[in-house]
Amino acid sequence: MPRRTGLLWMCLALVACQRPEPVTHGMVIEEASAPQEGGAISTAPVRVTPPRPETPRQAKTTVRENSKPSHERREIDWSDKELTTGAASISCELDYSALGDGDPLTKLDHETLQKALQPCEQGGVARLRYKGKITAEFGTLVERATKVADELGIGKRVLDIDSAGGQVEDAIQAGDFIAESRWTIWVREGAICHSACVFILSAGDTRMIAGQVGIHRIIRMSSTATTRAELNAELRVVYERVRDYLERNGAAVAVADQMMAVPNRGLRLLTTEELQLYGLDGVNPAQDDLDRLRLMRKCGEDFVSRRDSFVRAFDKRCKQPDTDLDALNACGLALRTDYGFPDNTCPAESPLSEFDRDTAGLQPPAADAPQTVSKVAGKKRGGDS
């Protein structure tokens, strides 16, 4: 018996030494940007209080007297401000590879923005390129650009972003505004959207991604915690705000849980599958639900059915790992003709309508998507940044 027991322990020891490697399912961890360059930084004060018992709430009905979106009702502060923490430019063209990113924008006063956006009035589409940290200045830039675009009747807006992150609270505030004001978000090849930038990404009506999207743990720069328990209590308050924000903007709250598991000195790059799973790529699911009934009434049931079929086909055929944003758009433009788009009854509501001459004053790219996509085979998703 002692001999058998000894052999048993030897076998168990051998098994323990040969335990399998953990499965990562393609997880990529990179070194994160320093806090001064981006990150996901929270500086807002938090108040840690014990949970209170829930009390029944009486349902009440509210009637809005003003049907305009809240971003149109909000008063804009037009005091003199300059953009000091990032680089911005405005273009009336979507073909950035051939036509560039437009004219640089440093001042954020009404006159400067109106002058920059005036040429976009005829085409009805504007692209705001921004590269830098997510700060309060970024929020001011988006808010004021939206206001002037509204005044000029520019309904198609693309935010072409490249950011390593920044302030969590500033990103949430800017994201809530973006969610109300109908922006498409681009993360093109060579660009990144890391950390707090993911909150901006989640707010867009449509997200087109060819670059890197990454997440990590939020940093509490203003924390007064002296123990791990105190710090975690503070972070729970911050992450509760993040979860609420993600939920109201159509993204999975699991993103917040994934952030908690990645040290802030590292960065987890989200895969194409994860971006779609978490509701961060393509059509925003929250906005899609809001649009469905409106489009059913305006454009008809057949339009909505074809639109849904196009979205499914686009995700399957066009979103290849080695495709840049130009090729992604070209593939979608070629594919949509199979589903009867642009629609004669609702051209402005058709997929990728920002490229249409009739609704945006622009010549669509040539419908040679298969050849265009083949040219970019071998390019790595994300590229240099």
Side-chain angles (χ1 to χ4, degrees):
M1 179 68 79
R3 183 180 178 185
R4 290 182 181 178
T5 304
L7 288 173
L8 177 61
W9 282 111
M10 287 178 63
C11 292
L12 290 173
L14 287 172
V15 170
C17 292
Q18 296 175 358
R19 64 183 59 166
E21 293 293 326
V23 179
T24 60
H25 299 288
M27 184 188 306
V28 179
I29 302 292
E30 288 194 352
E31 183 178 350
S33 300
Q36 62 268 24
E37 298 172 358
I41 303 168
S42 173
T43 58
V46 297
R47 185 178 180 182
V48 180
T49 57
R52 293 180 297 180
E54 294 186 1
T55 56
R57 296 182 181 178
Q58 292 184 344
K60 61 179 181 179
T61 303
T62 58
V63 178
R64 294 184 178 180
E65 297 180 358
N66 193 333
S67 60
K68 289 185 178 181
S70 59
H71 83 271
E72 294 184 13
R73 303 193 301 269
R74 187 181 307 177
E75 292 293 329
I76 301 293
D77 173 18
W78 285 108
S79 58
D80 289 343
K81 286 188 179 181
E82 293 189 2
L83 192 63
T84 61
T85 57
S89 58
I90 288 180
S91 173
C92 305
E93 305 289 348
L94 301 181
D95 188 356
Y96 57 89
S97 59
L99 301 174
D101 291 324
D103 298 325
L105 188 69
T106 55
K107 294 184 178 181
L108 304 181
D109 60 278
H110 188 277
E111 183 180 355
T112 299
L113 283 165
Q114 188 174 47
K115 183 178 179 181
L117 286 164
Q118 192 85 49
C120 306
E121 184 176 8
Q122 182 178 2
V125 63
R127 177 167 57 91
L128 173 61
R129 170 71 169 168
Y130 179 78
K131 185 173 183 178
K133 291 174 61 176
I134 304 299
T135 63
E137 283 185 3
F138 168 78
T140 298
L141 167 68
V142 173
E143 188 171 301
R144 294 185 178 189
T146 300
K147 182 64 174 179
V148 176
D150 285 342
E151 294 171 356
L152 296 173
I154 302 171
K156 303 291 183 179
R157 302 125 185 211
V158 175
L159 174 58
D160 183 356
I161 196 165
D162 185 356
S163 175
Q167 294 284 338
V168 171
E169 290 78 20
D170 291 337
I172 288 176
Q173 184 173 351
D176 277 332
F177 183 85
I178 288 170
E180 298 170 351
S181 45
R182 309 309 298 262
W183 283 85
T184 292
I185 311 292
W186 284 4
V187 183
R188 70 198 200 198
E189 66 284 352
I192 60 174
C193 185
H194 292 167
S195 307
C197 177
V198 173
F199 304 140
I200 302 299
L201 185 65
S202 68
D205 282 11
T206 303
R207 289 70 55 90
M208 303 288 280
I209 301 172
Q212 292 182 349
V213 178
I215 57 174
H216 64 178
R217 191 176 173 91
I218 293 173
I219 308 171
R220 279 289 297 161
M221 298 297 287
S222 60
S223 176
T224 58
T226 57
T227 68
R228 188 186 303 174
E230 291 175 351
L231 180 60
N232 283 337
E234 290 185 13
L235 284 172
R236 274 197 298 271
V237 177
V238 177
Y239 276 100
E240 196 60 39
R241 296 173 185 168
V242 168
R243 289 187 182 92
D244 288 344
Y245 169 83
L246 293 170
E247 188 173 29
R248 66 177 174 264
N249 283 298
V253 295
V255 174
D257 298 329
Q258 294 288 350
M259 292 175 71
M260 284 286 287
V262 183
N264 53 52
R265 65 178 179 278
L267 186 77
R268 176 179 173 182
L269 301 183
L270 299 180
T271 65
T272 303
E273 294 75 14
E274 287 175 324
L275 289 169
Q276 294 183 19
L277 179 66
Y278 296 149
L280 295 172
D281 190 15
V283 177
N284 187 307
Q287 188 63 42
D288 192 46
D289 287 345
L290 191 62
D291 285 341
R292 184 169 295 276
L293 291 176
R294 179 181 63 85
L295 292 176
M296 194 80 74
R297 292 189 296 266
K298 179 179 180 181
C299 307
E301 185 176 350
D302 176 67
F303 178 95
V304 174
S305 177
R306 286 185 287 119
R307 176 175 169 267
D308 290 345
S309 297
F310 166 80
V311 171
R312 288 192 294 268
F314 179 80
D315 288 345
K316 184 176 181 180
R317 300 186 201 176
C318 298
K319 291 184 178 179
Q320 302 300 321
D322 298 325
T323 305
D324 64 23
L325 196 56
D326 271 345
L328 192 65
N329 286 327
C331 178
L333 288 166
L335 177 65
R336 68 182 184 154
T337 59
D338 296 342
Y339 298 89
F341 295 118
D343 185 86
N344 291 330
T345 304
C346 290
E349 305 288 357
S350 298
L352 297 174
S353 64
E354 61 266 27
F355 286 94
D356 293 332
R357 180 189 295 274
D358 291 341
T359 58
L362 294 175
Q363 177 66 45
D368 58 351
Q371 291 80 8
T372 305
V373 172
S374 67
K375 290 178 182 178
V376 298
K379 286 186 179 180
K380 188 174 182 180
R381 189 179 185 87
D384 299 328
S385 57

